[in-house]
């Protein structure tokens, strides 16, 4: 009996979850089955494909080349079954029930999601969106393997295989509470170094690129921050700063939005650090997809409106 007769679609779904999570228990939770069932499925898959598929390493379980190849094909099959890919040439946003998977940090999501859902309500009322963060260092892998359809992020060195369009400009700024006892209308480098900071970068954040950029810039000047608090969500920093004497560095769009509801003040950084413009990135496998073109067009509209809004808020 051939392998195809011994395996079910459910087994392939299990393999896709295993490769995505790289952990048996998390993979089981991802698709709503018990850990013993997932372990049994992995054992059967290993036997059928005559390959370990996932192997234990110092950093956890890692998929073998065979597992990655299989997963890529499985995701292509799922795309076809769910109406994506070449069969989606007749995509109609008004009637489509397609689901888009978008990777974005919570800070970026706060900026783009309200407008995305407002636009979708009128133009694509049945389209679904799944948005959650991921490790920006694995962007090319995520997009290539189909974990996400679109990534909205700041990437310092995006892979050449990806398509990229800037959505809106972004620089980093420092925030402090209104009435801070030390800061009187300006922030000096000496004050920045003397005061304590709240920083984005506690687990489960996989890689806080913006904070890494700041630390690298400070290191060039032989400076460091006095870190009193690390948080897993950049969204917490405004709330913390507004009720303490801590400083925090966050993207300017988020700072301007937060200032509308929180008693905070915004300062330019007293040292040089590169801009962190937000872009959308996607893989060539979806470049000609009609549904994906609609999504990218919608995101461009959001980016254009956000860029114009930033100019007004900055001037104000």
């Amino acid at each position: 009996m051939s392998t195809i007769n011994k395996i079910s679609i459910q087994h392939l779904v299990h393999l896709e979850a295993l490769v995505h999570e790289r952990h048996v228990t998390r993979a089981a939770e991802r698709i709503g089955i018990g850990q013993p069932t997932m372990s049994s499925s992995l054992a059967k898959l290993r036997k059928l494909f005559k390959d370990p598929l996932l192997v234990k390493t110092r950093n956890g379980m890692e998929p073998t080349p065979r597992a990655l190849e299989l997963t890529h094909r499985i995701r292509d099959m799922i795309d076809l079954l769910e109406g994506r890919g070449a069969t989606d040439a007749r995509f109609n946003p008004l009637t489509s029930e397609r689901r888009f998977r978008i990777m974005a940090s919570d800070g970026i999501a706060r900026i783009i999601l309200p407008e995305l859902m407002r636009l979708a309500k009128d133009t694509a009322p049945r389209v679904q969106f799944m948005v959650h963060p991921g490790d920006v260092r694995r962007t090319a892998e995520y997009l290539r393997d189909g974990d996400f359809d679109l990534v909205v992020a700041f990437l310092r060195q995006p892979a050449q295989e990806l398509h990229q369009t800037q959505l809106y400009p972004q620089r980093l700024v420092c925030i402090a509470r209104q009435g801070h006892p030390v800061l009187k209308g300006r922030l000096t480098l000496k004050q920045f170094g003397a005061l304590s900071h709240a920083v984005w970068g506690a687990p489960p954040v996989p890689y806080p690129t913006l904070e890494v950029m700041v630390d690298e810039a400070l290191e060039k000047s032989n400076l460091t921050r006095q870190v009193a608090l690390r948080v897993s969500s950049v969204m917490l920093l405004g709330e913390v700063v507004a009720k303490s004497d801590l400083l925090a560095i966050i993207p300017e769009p988020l700072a301007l939005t937060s200032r509308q509801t929180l008693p905070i003040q915004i300062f330019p950084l007293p040292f040089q650090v590169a801009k962190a413009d937000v872009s959308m990135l996607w893989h060539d496998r979806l470049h000609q997809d009609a549904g994906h073109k609609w999504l990218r067009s919608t995101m461009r509209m959001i980016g254009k409106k956000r860029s114009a809004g930033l100019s007004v808020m900055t001037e104000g």
Side-chain angles (χ1 to χ4, degrees):
M1 186 180 292
S2 67
T3 299
I4 193 64
N5 293 323
K6 299 178 182 177
I7 198 168
S8 68
I9 291 179
Q10 197 60 43
H11 283 110
L12 299 179
V13 172
H14 292 177
L15 177 58
E16 192 274 340
L18 285 163
V19 171
H20 182 275
E21 296 293 342
R22 289 165 164 76
H23 191 280
V24 173
T25 301
R26 289 200 300 268
E29 293 173 349
R30 177 183 172 88
I31 59 176
I33 64 174
Q35 185 270 336
T37 301
M38 182 61 78
S39 295
S40 176
S41 186
L42 176 58
K44 182 172 184 177
L45 288 163
R46 283 169 167 166
K47 184 177 180 180
L48 289 173
F49 290 111
K50 298 180 175 60
D51 187 276
L53 300 177
L54 286 102
V55 295
K56 290 184 178 180
T57 70
R58 292 175 60 186
N59 298 319
M61 299 184 75
E62 291 293 331
T64 66
R66 177 65 168 151
L68 292 174
E69 177 189 1
L70 287 168
T71 303
H72 182 72
R73 294 177 183 272
I74 291 167
R75 285 166 178 158
D76 284 344
M77 178 188 70
I78 293 173
D79 283 348
L80 289 173
L81 291 174
E82 293 187 349
R84 294 191 290 267
T87 60
D88 203 32
R90 297 179 299 276
F91 176 83
N92 182 345
L94 287 173
T95 58
S96 176
E97 296 182 357
R98 182 163 170 178
R99 181 182 67 176
F100 291 107
R101 297 159 293 186
I102 302 173
M103 186 183 104
S105 69
D106 52 359
I108 291 176
R110 182 183 181 186
I111 297 297
I112 65 172
L113 283 187
E115 185 66 13
L116 175 61
M117 299 315 298
R118 186 189 71 80
L119 292 172
K121 178 179 180 295
D122 296 327
T123 61
R126 300 169 70 179
V127 169
Q128 302 173 51
F129 302 91
M130 180 182 72
V131 182
H132 61 87
D135 190 336
V136 292
R137 295 170 298 181
R138 295 177 59 191
T139 293
E141 174 190 341
Y142 288 146
L143 293 171
R144 181 184 64 246
D145 293 345
D147 294 320
F148 294 99
D149 301 310
L150 190 73
V151 168
V152 183
F154 161 64
L155 242 65
R156 300 173 78 176
Q157 294 180 321
Q160 292 185 351
E161 67 185 275
L162 301 179
H163 296 271
Q164 177 181 8
T165 295
Q166 180 180 318
L167 289 183
Y168 57 86
Q170 177 174 265
R171 65 172 181 165
L172 299 180
V173 296
C174 187
I175 59 173
R177 72 175 175 89
Q178 291 286 357
H180 193 286
V182 175
L183 305 181
K184 307 298 182 183
R186 62 190 295 264
L187 172 65
T188 67
L189 187 59
K190 183 177 180 180
Q191 291 169 332
F192 182 91
L195 295 170
S196 295
H197 293 250
V199 171
W200 176 44
V205 176
Y207 190 73
T209 307
L210 301 182
E211 298 290 2
V212 172
M213 285 177 54
V214 170
D215 288 338
E216 289 176 353
L218 288 171
E219 186 177 354
K220 291 179 181 179
S221 301
N222 296 316
L223 298 172
T224 58
R225 282 180 287 183
Q226 297 186 38
V227 178
L229 173 68
R230 293 185 182 274
V231 298
S232 61
S233 171
V234 70
M235 300 301 300
L236 295 172
L237 293 176
E239 296 280 355
V240 169
V241 165
K243 297 179 181 180
S244 70
D245 290 338
L246 298 178
L247 305 183
I249 294 176
I250 63 175
E252 185 177 29
L254 181 58
L256 291 169
T257 301
S258 299
R259 190 173 62 180
Q260 295 177 352
T261 56
L262 293 171
I264 60 173
Q265 49 187 326
I266 303 173
F267 299 99
L269 294 181
F271 56 91
Q272 292 295 318
V273 63
K275 292 180 65 178
D277 298 337
V278 173
S279 298
M280 63 175 173
L281 302 101
W282 65 97
H283 196 269
D284 193 58
R285 69 185 184 87
L286 288 173
H287 187 58
Q288 299 300 331
D289 178 89
H292 204 270
K293 287 182 178 179
W294 170 85
L295 176 62
R296 299 195 308 261
S297 176
T298 302
M299 295 300 293
R300 288 189 183 96
M301 291 172 59
I302 295 171
K304 184 176 181 180
K305 182 175 181 179
R306 169 53 50 177
S307 298
L310 280 175
S311 299
V312 172
M313 292 174 72
T314 302
E315 292 171 0

